[in-house]
Amino acid sequence: MENSIYNSMIAANQLLNKQTVISNNLANISTTGFKETFNYILQNNDIKNLYNKYDKIIKEYYNLSPGILNYTERNLDLFVKDNGWFSVRDINGQEAYTKNGHLTINPDRKLTIQNNEIIGHNCSIKIPNSVNVKVLSNGIITSIEKKNNKIFEKIIGQLKLVTLPNKDLIRQQNGLFYLKPNNEVLNKYNYTISHDNNVRIKSGVLESSNVNATKNMIEMISNARQFETQMKMISMCDKNYEYANQLININN
C-alpha cells in the first residue's frame, strides 16, 4: 500500500511540473519569437540508481520551428531565418540569444531587445539622432539622410548573428536562450560564439510565438484529470489504512 501512495505522489508531482510548463507556454502565446517548451521524463540509468525505479530525469526540450510571420513594415522589426539567432547582452553582461526581432532604441541611442542591448559584429552599435535606419539581410545597419535632394547612406554597424546547436540550448527565466556550460561548441570557440556570415534576416517582419494553443489546452485538461485520479488513489489508500487499523484493533 505504501508503494501505491508513493507511486501516486511521484506521478502527481510530475503532472504538476508538466502543468507549469504548459501554463508558461499559454502565457507566452502572444510573445514575439517565443518557442514552445515541453518536458520528457526519463529513467535515470546511472549504475548507482539502477535499482531505484522512482529516480527520474526531467529534460526540457524546445520546439524551435518558426511561428507565423507578421508583416509590420517597421524597419526595426526583424525575422531571423532558419537556425539563426540574434545576440544580446543580458542585465548581467552575459551573451544570450533570442528569436525576438522587435528592436527598439533606448535613451542612449543603443539598439535593444526587451531592454537587452544588441551585440554588434566587431562593433558597438549606436544610432544617430534624426536619421532613418535600414537593416540589410546580412545584418548591416545603415543610416539614410536626405540633404539637398540627395540621399546619403552610411553604415552604422552590423548585428551579430549566430547559428546555435539546438541540443545545447537552455532557456533561463528571463526568456533568453543560453548555451549549456561545458559543451563542445563553447570549448571549440574558446567560450565565444562567432558571427555567422550565412545567417540572413528579413526586415519589416516579426515571428510570432509557435505555441499551439489547442494542443496545450487539451494537454492541460488531460493533466488536470490525471492529477485528480492520482489524488483519489492517495485518498483511497489512506482510507484503506484506516479500515486496516480498525480491523486490527477489533481483533485485538
Side-chain angles (χ1 to χ4, degrees):
M1 202 177 296
E2 289 180 357
N3 247 0
S4 299
I5 292 178
Y6 193 67
N7 282 337
S8 294
M9 287 176 61
I10 293 292
N13 187 54
Q14 291 171 352
L15 287 166
L16 283 176
N17 289 334
K18 191 175 180 182
Q19 205 76 323
T20 300
V21 171
I22 294 172
S23 297
N24 186 57
N25 284 339
L26 291 171
N28 285 282
I29 201 166
S30 60
T31 301
T32 301
F34 181 83
K35 298 303 175 185
E36 186 178 32
T37 310
F38 50 97
N39 285 351
Y40 275 138
I41 301 171
L42 306 171
Q43 176 66 42
N44 186 355
N45 291 322
D46 189 284
I47 191 67
K48 297 177 182 178
N49 300 289
L50 195 58
Y51 301 105
N52 184 2
K53 64 180 180 179
Y54 303 113
D55 190 13
K56 306 288 185 181
I57 299 174
I58 298 177
K59 287 196 173 184
E60 190 169 77
Y61 291 87
Y62 309 101
N63 173 13
L64 297 177
S65 62
I68 296 172
L69 300 184
N70 298 316
Y71 291 82
T72 65
E73 298 183 1
R74 177 176 176 268
N75 288 346
L76 290 180
D77 282 343
L78 309 175
F79 164 61
V80 60
K81 298 180 180 180
D82 303 322
N83 199 30
W85 296 80
F86 297 106
S87 302
V88 298
R89 203 170 302 284
D90 66 17
I91 58 173
N92 298 315
Q94 186 177 355
E95 185 168 319
Y97 310 98
T98 180
K99 286 283 191 177
N100 185 342
H102 182 64
L103 278 61
T104 56
I105 303 172
N106 70 9
D108 296 325
R109 306 302 297 174
K110 292 185 177 181
L111 288 176
T112 61
I113 295 176
Q114 293 179 314
N115 297 320
N116 299 291
E117 184 182 339
I118 286 278
I119 298 177
H121 173 40
N122 295 328
C123 66
S124 178
I125 302 172
K126 193 168 184 179
I127 307 300
N129 288 310
S130 304
V131 297
N132 292 320
V133 176
K134 182 170 72 172
V135 186
L136 306 182
S137 63
N138 58 359
I140 290 178
I141 304 169
T142 62
S143 63
I144 302 173
E145 289 185 273
K146 188 176 182 180
K147 293 181 180 178
N148 300 323
N149 294 323
K150 292 184 178 179
I151 295 176
F152 298 89
E153 194 166 341
K154 182 180 178 182
I155 294 178
I156 298 173
Q158 184 176 13
L159 302 175
K160 181 179 179 181
L161 305 171
V162 299
T163 301
L164 303 175
N166 296 346
K167 63 183 180 64
D168 288 323
L169 292 176
I170 184 169
R171 182 165 52 207
Q172 303 292 359
Q173 290 184 346
N174 58 10
L176 299 174
F177 282 86
Y178 297 80
L179 283 174
K180 295 176 182 176
N182 302 321
N183 67 71
E184 294 178 2
V185 177
L186 282 179
N187 292 333
K188 180 180 178 181
Y189 293 108
N190 196 24
Y191 296 92
T192 302
I193 304 299
S194 300
H195 171 83
D196 189 341
N197 289 315
N198 295 316
V199 176
R200 289 293 178 265
I201 60 176
K202 187 175 178 60
S203 179
V205 184
L206 283 179
E207 179 186 356
S208 62
S209 166
N210 68 353
V211 174
N212 186 319
T214 304
K215 178 174 73 72
N216 278 269
M217 283 300 296
I218 290 172
E219 287 188 4
M220 177 174 277
I221 294 169
S222 175
N223 284 343
R225 288 174 178 170
Q226 291 180 57
F227 182 81
E228 185 180 352
T229 300
Q230 298 302 330
M231 291 297 99
K232 286 180 179 178
M233 288 287 291
I234 293 173
S235 177
M236 188 180 300
C237 288
D238 190 45
K239 287 180 180 178
N240 288 340
Y241 266 122
E242 290 180 13
Y243 295 147
N245 287 333
Q246 289 176 6
L247 289 172
I248 292 170
N249 290 333
I250 290 172
N251 292 333
N252 288 336

